[in-house]
Amino acid sequence: MSDSGSPLMDVFFAILRAVVIFAAVLQVVPALVYFERRLAAWIQDRIGPNQVGPVGLLQPLADVIKLAFKEDLTPEGVDKWIYRLGPALVYAPAILAFTVIPVGMDLQVASFDVGVIFLLTIGSFSVYGLAFGGWASNNKYSLLGGLRASAQMISYEVALGLSVIAILMTAETVDLNSIIRQQWAAGTLGLLQWNIFQQPLAAGIFLVAAFAETNRLPFDLAECEAELVGGFHTEYTGLKFAMFFMGEYVAMITMSALMVTMFLGGWSLPWVEIPTTPGVGDIALSIGIFMSKLIVLLFFYIWVRWTLPRFRYDQLMGIGWKVFIPLSLLNLGLTALSGVLGWNWLIPLPW
Amino acid sequence: MSGWLEHLIFGILAASSVASSFLVVTRRNPIYSALFLIVMFSMVAGIFMLLDATFLGFMQLLVYAGAIMVLYLFVIMLINPRDDSLPEEGGFTEKTFAVGVALLVFSLLAFGISNSETVSTLAEAGTIPDLPEVAQTHGAIEAFGYELFHKHLLVFEVASILILVGIIGAVHIAMKNKPAPVELGANDEERLVNDV
């Protein structure tokens, strides 16, 4: 995208890409919050926010203004440095992970040769915000929330990583754009080339683990209000709380985007040819395809949140360690076996 | 990347890793020690990446900074140390002993590294030799896997057996303190039903 020759221009284009994509992700957050509140209301047969602006569209803006003008309380007895670090540590990794996700045809902020591993690494860092924030608040509920978050995220990270490794084994690459290209095949039956059909077990494990990693219902044990008041963010107010809140939504967008890339063919569709030298129209189309898949997955996230009740903590850890990790190991073994025996695909394609 | 920029970045990474590892041992509160240990791991990972070992750098972050430190933090948070509940620091003798041990380890490592054959041949040549053939044709991760599973397969397998032994040991210790399940007699069941 930026082979202009001069290193200064390279830096300029890199910064431009970063600013544009980060700004776009930030714009998605309020839209997603509005979307979630309206959808939740619809699922629960309520009306939802509909007063501010046309059909309530300006509600997120009102929320932000409200949060920004709240008093920024720092309770007594908190560890000031770590207390301030907490929200930043939740928010930064979530948005940093978005750097390597191809939002359109070969369009990403930074292209590493180890894209997937970068994502896993950054994902594992987001737990520190919850853990540090929970500890520093000097509140038993916050501490319990932080403890739960760290135990839960480290447990499900194993299953998540193992399901991703299965994909890497069939793809034989860690480059996200190559993984997308491998999922493309012409015609309607080309849909079967998507990893969700090639690796259904890995896709299922990834989906569940993604819920646990982003602390969303039915796995939001770190902040479950019935037991822990607000969990790790009980003592946070104003914009610090807003950063926790936004971090959760950005993490949700990032996880969905990763799921789209790894399992749902990313920016490609079987009915659309991938050109070797893409024009502006092709890139715009690929961004559109990516965004529509992303919206479908985000809808799924919200749908699950307002449909399923919360798990109990021992159930969460139980299924994590006793069901998902053995299953993902089994899947890994099966994938390795099929690789050794020379079956290229778990589901044989008709051609 | 131009030479001076690389040197500048190395200087920043090296200085902050030394500074943060110093802070790890001098902070009284173990939460801060853990925090600075994470910073130190990240800085060292940065140095790996600067040396084009991107995969190794991310593995350092993923395994040490991202996973092992979460477990450390989990244990520290379970104990929940506050400044007033921390034990007294060691006296002069203990501190001197600690500094002595650290200096001893440092001098052993420095001696070993400066006298190693690889380093002296590298220093003579003045440049880093070309990557092995696999890395050139396939990329860093493939080269890493090739080295690990061809040259060091035995070590790799022994390490995995060691980890397995560790897991079994941990499970055994955890099971030992578990109370025996209470056998419910017919009367007990009746009582339970009545209670409900």
Side-chain angles (χ1 to χ4, degrees), chain A residues 79 117-118 121 128 135 154, chain B residues 32 58 61 65 67 69 80 82:
Chain A
D79 191 306
I117 292 161
F118 175 79
T121 309
Y128 286 127
W135 178 81
I154 202 164
Chain B
Y32 275 91
F58 279 122
L61 281 179
M69 285 315 294
N80 192 16
R82 297 280 161 188

Side-chain angles (χ1 to χ4, degrees), chain A residues 38-321:
Chain A
R38 287 301 293 229
L39 213 58
W42 178 60
I43 288 171
Q44 298 178 336
D45 202 14
R46 294 184 281 118
I47 296 168
N50 67 342
Q51 294 298 311
V52 191
V55 289
L57 271 172
L58 293 179
Q59 183 68 41
L61 190 67
D63 287 347
V64 168
I65 292 171
K66 183 196 82 174
L67 280 170
F69 284 99
K70 285 256 173 174
E71 186 185 354
D72 190 12
L73 276 174
T74 306
E76 231 169 84
V78 304
D79 191 306
K80 286 202 177 54
W81 288 102
I82 297 186
Y83 179 78
R84 284 174 197 151
L85 197 64
L89 276 182
V90 170
Y91 183 66
I95 199 145
L96 203 58
F98 217 86
T99 46
V100 291
I101 290 180
V103 291
M105 204 170 287
D106 300 319
L107 187 69
Q108 55 211 19
V109 177
S111 117
F112 287 114
D113 52 347
V114 288
V116 178
I117 292 161
F118 175 79
L119 275 170
L120 291 179
T121 309
I122 295 300
S124 69
F125 267 73
S126 55
V127 64
Y128 286 127
L130 311 189
F132 279 133
W135 178 81
S137 298
N138 193 22
N139 175 327
K140 288 202 174 75
Y141 294 120
S142 302
L143 181 69
L144 280 172
L147 274 175
R148 281 183 174 190
S150 48
Q152 167 185 341
M153 284 170 98
I154 202 164
S155 309
Y156 278 83
E157 210 179 286
V158 180
L160 187 90
L162 287 176
S163 68
V164 168
I165 288 173
I167 299 298
L168 300 186
M169 278 165 76
T170 47
E172 295 184 352
T173 176
V174 282
D175 178 51
L176 287 166
N177 279 307
S178 312
I179 292 174
I180 292 172
R181 286 209 163 77
Q182 283 178 358
Q183 293 180 60
W184 186 85
T188 307
L189 273 174
L191 272 180
L192 290 178
Q193 192 79 359
W194 285 2
N195 277 331
I196 194 171
F197 299 113
Q198 299 291 334
Q199 289 271 2
L201 197 54
I205 293 165
F206 186 95
L207 186 67
V208 176
F211 274 99
E213 286 284 301
T214 50
N215 274 310
R216 291 278 298 181
L217 261 169
F219 296 141
D220 68 336
L221 276 302
E223 50 184 305
C224 82
E225 61 276 359
E227 300 162 22
L228 296 180
V229 189
F232 57 88
H233 59 59
T234 307
E235 298 289 350
Y236 284 89
T237 54
L239 281 178
K240 288 203 190 85
F241 168 74
M243 271 175 96
F244 271 129
F245 192 68
M246 271 162 73
E248 182 191 320
Y249 277 87
V250 174
M252 191 168 127
I253 297 169
T254 309
M255 272 294 173
S256 308
L258 185 59
M259 178 102 191
V260 167
T261 309
M262 303 278 291
F263 295 100
L264 298 175
W267 40 257
S268 72
L269 266 189
W271 304 281
V272 185
E273 288 276 341
I274 298 178
T276 39
T277 49
V280 177
D282 294 320
I283 290 178
L285 181 64
S286 68
I287 294 175
I289 293 171
F290 180 84
M291 288 304 286
S292 356
K293 287 177 181 174
L294 191 65
I295 287 170
V296 171
L297 259 186
L298 290 173
F299 171 78
F300 181 76
Y301 258 89
I302 295 168
W303 184 23
V304 167
R305 173 171 178 181
W306 297 97
T307 309
L308 291 184
R310 186 180 287 131
F311 275 67
R312 223 168 52 210
Y313 194 66
D314 59 319
Q315 291 172 332
L316 168 92
M317 293 307 259
I319 55 169
W321 285 98

Side-chain angles (χ1 to χ4, degrees), chain B residues 58-110:
Chain B
F58 279 122
M59 277 298 134
Q60 159 105 1
L61 281 179
L62 185 64
V63 175
Y64 286 96
I68 290 181
M69 285 315 294
V70 178
L71 283 183
Y72 272 45
L73 205 63
F74 186 76
V75 173
I76 295 172
M77 279 168 63
L78 268 183
I79 301 166
N80 192 16
R82 297 280 161 188
D83 284 331
D84 46 9
S85 65
L86 288 172
E88 284 297 305
E89 271 191 22
F92 181 72
T93 343
E94 279 159 317
K95 279 179 183 166
T96 323
F97 183 70
V99 169
V101 169
L103 280 178
L104 186 70
V105 172
F106 175 75
S107 48
L108 275 177
L109 279 176

Side-chain angles (χ1 to χ4, degrees), chain B residues 148-160:
Chain B
L148 194 63
F149 293 115
H150 278 78
K151 287 190 185 167
H152 309 291
L153 185 62
L154 186 67
V155 183
F156 179 79
E157 295 291 343
V158 170
S160 44

Side-chain angles (χ1 to χ4, degrees), chain A residues 13-27:
Chain A
F13 275 117
I15 292 173
L16 188 73
R17 271 205 309 271
V19 169
V20 167
I21 292 188
F22 285 170
V25 174
L26 282 187
Q27 295 322 302

